[in-house]
Amino acid sequence: MKLCRYGAPGHEQPGLIDADGNLRALAGIADITPETLAPDVLAKLAAIDPASLPLVEGSPRYGVPVSGTRKFVAIGLNYADHAAESNLPIPAEPVVFNKWVSCLQGPNDPVVIPRDSKKTDWEVELGVVIGTRAEYVSAEEALSHVAGYLVINDVSERHWQIERGATWDKGKGFPTFGPVGPWLVTADEVGDPQNLSMWLEVNGKRVQDGNTKTMIFTVAEIIAYCSQFMTLEPGDIITTGTPPGVGMGQKPEPWYLKAGDVVTLGIEKLGEQRQDFVACTPRG
């Protein structure tokens, strides 16, 4: 089942993508919230015949597929070849940092390059959405707490991330740095999260081409690890790291995003995104 939210920012409505790729208005619920991700609620939604739902005409904007996310947790250096291109050792434990929930936005909304940015970069990543509360869970039971998966561009400002102190968070949560979606694809439809191809292009040039099977720490291991020191709640999003090919790792020298660039990306079974990168306009 592919769940989504569509419409103008702040006025999104719940939707469902049918087997033919059509967007249908999801009747019976006001919104897709953390409460919607409970297994019994998802089961009721899955029992609905999509053909019975109104067809949404046109090409409306997609918003963040789940409203009310409280934590946006990120994992760094989770692909060995990406660690190598970053000139960093393979981590012995998952590298955990935060993306502020205020950076969440729809998958095709413009991304604002921060004021005085020097190194705005791209990262295609598999996102995991928690469906049931998880504390001290084992890797064997971890996937039972997953509602579904989605595409994430973990947009990053490397100067703030790496050169402005010891914490990565500063370079990860600028406004608009968290495009997610277009859909939340439920876990039953995705199957094994460790065998999904993924790609990203900048201005039509393929720069990332990977597969989740090359993760250092699996989705199950990441959930189990994080649940040891935080309570994972329904609606929380975990973004699980990126394969090689980011701007920071380009050869013969790094190159970064500028206003006017267009980034497209996608993950097998989960859909695609497109973002126009635009300059920061001072408020006043």
Side-chain angles (χ1 to χ4, degrees):
M1 184 168 53
K2 296 181 176 70
L3 300 174
C4 65
R5 298 170 66 247
Y6 66 94
H11 300 279
E12 291 91 348
Q13 302 176 60
L16 181 150
I17 307 298
D18 67 20
D20 297 318
N22 300 310
L23 172 59
R24 294 184 178 271
L26 187 54
I29 60 172
D31 201 355
I32 298 173
T33 66
E35 291 71 28
T36 311
L37 305 180
D40 60 331
V41 178
L42 289 179
K44 290 178 182 178
L45 296 178
I48 298 173
D49 179 5
S52 69
L53 300 173
L55 192 64
V56 178
E57 302 291 346
S59 301
R61 166 190 173 270
Y62 285 107
V64 178
V66 179
S67 67
T69 292
R70 286 165 283 194
K71 288 193 291 298
F72 193 1
V73 180
I75 307 299
L77 302 177
N78 197 29
Y79 290 73
D81 33 14
H82 172 54
E85 73 174 353
S86 304
N87 296 313
L88 293 168
I90 294 174
E93 297 188 24
V95 176
V96 182
F97 59 93
N98 288 296
K99 288 178 76 76
W100 319 127
V101 293
S102 57
C103 79
L104 287 166
Q105 67 164 17
N108 305 315
D109 294 342
V111 174
V112 178
I113 296 177
R115 190 179 305 175
D116 301 322
S117 170
K118 297 177 174 63
K119 299 178 179 180
T120 295
D121 206 346
W122 60 83
E123 294 189 7
V124 59
E125 303 200 5
L126 172 66
V128 182
V129 181
I130 299 299
T132 57
R133 183 184 180 101
E135 290 183 337
Y136 299 106
V137 301
S138 66
E140 290 71 26
E141 63 181 317
L143 294 185
S144 68
H145 293 273
V146 174
Y149 303 90
L150 37 70
V151 182
I152 293 177
N153 187 356
D154 176 18
V155 186
S156 308
E157 213 293 337
R158 304 299 189 189
H159 177 69
W160 276 96
Q161 177 192 353
I162 298 170
E163 302 170 40
R164 298 295 295 269
T167 58
W168 286 14
D169 310 58
K170 298 189 299 294
K172 293 288 191 170
F174 283 95
T176 74
F177 269 31
V180 299
W183 318 302
L184 166 65
V185 185
T186 52
D188 61 305
E189 185 165 326
V190 174
D192 181 8
Q194 300 308 149
N195 190 23
L196 301 173
S197 60
M198 55 206 306
W199 58 271
L200 184 144
E201 296 179 352
V202 179
N203 300 326
K205 174 182 173 63
R206 182 68 59 98
V207 289
Q208 288 189 278
D209 214 341
N211 192 292
T212 57
K213 65 185 177 183
T214 65
M215 283 183 181
I216 299 168
F217 303 103
T218 66
V219 171
E221 290 168 338
I222 289 167
I223 292 170
Y225 183 81
C226 289
S227 77
Q228 307 307 304
F229 53 86
M230 70 176 79
T231 300
L232 294 171
E233 302 169 296
D236 287 352
I237 298 173
I238 304 174
T239 188
T240 58
T242 196
V246 301
M248 181 173 61
Q250 294 297 309
K251 303 294 189 262
E253 61 184 27
W255 54 276
Y256 298 100
L257 296 165
K258 61 185 184 304
D261 286 340
V262 177
V263 173
T264 53
L265 59 148
I267 299 179
E268 181 183 358
K269 299 182 181 181
L270 304 182
E272 300 182 3
Q273 299 184 357
R274 180 191 186 279
Q275 295 112 30
D276 293 302
F277 280 70
V278 301
C280 180
T281 302
R283 295 178 181 177

